Amino acid sequence: MNILITGGAGFIGSHVVRHFVNTYPSYHIYNLDKLTYAGNLQNLKTIENAANYTFLKGDILDEQFLMAVFIKYKFDGVIHLAAESHVDRSITDPLSFVKTNVLGTVNLLNVAKNTWQSDFSNKRFYHISTDEVYGSLGETGLFTETTAYDPNSPYSASKASSDHFVRAYGETYQLPFVISNCSNNYGPNHFPEKLIPLFINNIINNKALPVYGDGNYTRDWLYVIDHAIAIDLVFHKGKNKATYNIGGFNEWKNIDLVKLLCQLMDKKLGRTQGSSEKLITYVKDRPGHDLRYAIDANKIRTELGWTPTVTFEQGLAKTIDWYFDNQDWLDNVISKEYLNYYQKQYNL
Ligand code: NAD
Ligand code: TYD
């Protein structure tokens, strides 16, 4: 099987690429990535020379390029992760989210449809989406696969739109597809603009920890490798035209999570307990901030036998250890672009 994975140099994509390259030596994995600020080939060092792996630098908006690689490499399946992924950036620059997440996905769907047209058998287009398309929950309830879409941020609106296009290509052109909507991931290689890696990095450097609003927002956290395992299952065993929700059964209020992180980091750094908590700084809230996300992952559990393998305690410990052991990775990704973004976003 020849599999195209888009966005494979990013956070989740790099774990998915590594998982497929190592688990399926008989497949050839093609990783197509534009290498935006969020893409980093250092994430793939351990498999870059594998015989069943090829990196293709390119943009999902570039139709000619996509046509050429689809014809040359005869992909049997696509696992589409390439996207602009950060909510705060979508608030300052919504259009780039429309371009990559909506137009880029439609471009990819078109090229898949046009090059596979003669034969859709044994083909599959798998779109990796987010629970954020469902909008915000109140204090109770869970997102299921039938929850109505109700996105609130330009990021989630762009992902919702791309999900709709994938489904439309399935209905209109019979393009075989599957979609999964996952909760917040965390783990190694996570770009330090998202909550957990940002705060790990700031604690190491004794910088303020900017908590939005009152910190009483809730997210459901999943270790990234458990997401990669779920993606493998959905790709191979998921039903055509189905959606699967993926989550960690692991809800945390931001402020509780930040306090836990501070305790673990104090221990790791040999600092007095309570010193990192002093860095917590309440800042202006994110506009349109979704109160709570929580996933009902029972469909993938009962239908495909998936369940998270890593507890939050284990996952956070592994994540913290990784950032300590990979300070050079952090130094490399903290580029001029990152510093400009940081200054504009936080002014701290
Ligand atoms: P990321 O920002 O870390 O990585 C995105 C990757 O896509 C980068 O390598 C980037 O270079 C590449 N890319 C961006 N624009 C491109 C383009 N035009 N052409 C080709 N490549 C391009 O994102 P992530 O956190 O790894 O998320 C991956 C996918 O999973 C996204 O589709 C996201 O919506 C979804 N998702 C993320 C989470 C999460 O918690 N991070 C949760 C659920 C779903
Ligand atoms: P984030 O990691 O950006 O993921 P998402 O917005 O996709 O859920 O944010 C997780 C939560 O943490 C979210 O409620 C916003 C909050 N947050 C802060 O309080 N401060 C920050 O600096 C960041 C980046 C996020």
Side-chain angles (χ1 to χ4, degrees):
M1 242 209 273
N2 289 333
I3 301 176
L4 173 68
I5 299 181
T6 68
F11 166 48
I12 302 172
S14 61
H15 288 278
V16 174
V17 166
R18 196 173 316 104
H19 173 86
F20 273 79
V21 166
N22 290 333
T23 312
Y24 301 106
S26 66
Y27 294 0
H28 199 103
I29 306 303
Y30 295 86
N31 168 18
L32 188 160
D33 199 294
K34 183 182 172 184
L35 299 180
T36 67
Y37 78 93
N40 184 352
L41 289 179
Q42 231 187 319
N43 294 347
L44 293 158
K45 271 268 166 251
T46 55
I47 52 114
E48 68 184 0
N49 296 318
N52 65 335
Y53 171 70
T54 302
F55 174 65
L56 306 168
K57 185 172 187 306
D59 189 333
I60 55 167
L61 283 159
D62 182 344
E63 189 187 352
Q64 297 304 316
F65 171 75
L66 289 187
M67 284 295 283
V69 294
F70 266 75
I71 289 165
K72 183 165 180 195
Y73 299 114
K74 301 187 173 25
F75 304 126
D76 301 293
V78 176
I79 305 178
H80 175 38
L81 295 105
E84 289 295 336
S85 68
H86 190 37
V87 173
D88 293 326
R89 288 184 190 252
S90 81
I91 294 167
T92 46
D93 180 17
L95 204 55
S96 62
F97 284 67
V98 175
K99 286 180 185 156
T100 294
N101 300 359
V102 184
L103 297 179
T105 301
V106 177
N107 205 27
L108 197 57
L109 285 164
N110 251 343
V111 172
K113 169 176 85 67
N114 292 339
T115 54
W116 288 346
Q117 197 160 28
S118 49
D119 185 11
F120 281 158
S121 57
N122 300 317
K123 299 285 194 289
R124 167 154 278 190
F125 189 104
Y126 179 6
H127 187 227
I128 306 301
S129 191
T130 167
D131 61 354
E132 302 191 26
V133 298
Y134 298 123
S136 182
L137 289 164
E139 295 292 339
T140 57
L142 298 170
F143 295 135
T144 71
E145 286 79 1
T146 55
T147 301
Y149 276 32
D150 189 18
N152 292 315
S153 73
Y155 164 66
S156 54
S158 69
K159 292 296 290 188
S161 173
S162 51
D163 285 358
H164 290 323
F165 272 105
V166 174
R167 205 163 282 124
Y169 270 64
E171 292 304 322
T172 308
Y173 309 109
Q174 277 67 55
L175 185 82
F177 77 87
V178 66
I179 297 174
S180 59
N181 296 80
C182 189
S183 64
N184 287 60
N185 286 213
Y186 70 99
N189 308 97
H190 205 182
F191 194 82
E193 64 186 355
K194 308 276 169 73
L195 182 74
I196 291 179
L198 174 71
F199 280 29
I200 291 175
N201 188 35
N202 283 14
I203 292 171
I204 293 173
N205 294 298
N206 266 310
K207 284 173 68 177
L209 304 178
V211 172
Y212 295 157
D214 59 7
N216 284 320
Y217 294 90
T218 299
R219 298 292 182 264
D220 172 357
W221 294 93
L222 178 69
Y223 193 59
V224 62
I225 289 172
D226 277 325
H227 189 189
I229 294 168
I231 288 173
D232 179 348
L233 274 173
V234 172
F235 180 71
H236 287 101
K237 302 208 169 109
K239 288 196 183 121
N240 187 33
K241 297 187 179 179
T243 286
Y244 293 89
N245 279 356
I246 306 170
F249 304 98
N250 179 38
E251 284 183 54
W252 283 80
K253 276 203 159 95
N254 290 344
I255 192 62
D256 297 334
L257 166 52
V258 169
K259 286 185 178 165
L260 172 63
L261 202 54
C262 287
Q263 286 163 23
L264 296 172
M265 291 291 290
D266 282 343
K267 207 161 155 198
K268 182 87 186 170
L269 287 157
R271 292 182 187 161
T272 318
Q273 278 297 327
S275 41
S276 296
E277 273 194 32
K278 292 196 187 114
L279 298 170
I280 293 175
T281 308
Y282 291 92
V283 299
K284 190 161 69 69
D285 210 349
R286 171 186 281 174
H289 199 164
D290 287 331
L291 178 68
R292 177 169 163 260
Y293 304 143
I295 282 274
D296 176 349
N298 276 310
K299 180 178 173 186
I300 186 170
R301 179 152 71 178
T302 52
E303 220 180 88
L304 305 183
W306 175 87
T307 190
T309 61
V310 177
T311 66
F312 197 45
E313 290 67 24
Q314 291 167 336
L316 265 189
K318 280 172 190 268
T319 305
I320 290 171
D321 287 349
W322 188 85
Y323 281 93
F324 273 82
D325 295 343
N326 292 276
Q327 190 62 49
D328 61 325
W329 182 92
L330 262 176
D331 294 342
N332 279 349
V333 300
I334 295 174
S335 61
K336 191 159 172 277
E337 191 279 343
Y338 176 84
L339 295 172
N340 286 341
Y341 161 77
Y342 199 92
Q343 173 65 25
K344 272 201 203 125
Q345 178 67 20
Y346 297 105
N347 203 18
L348 284 170

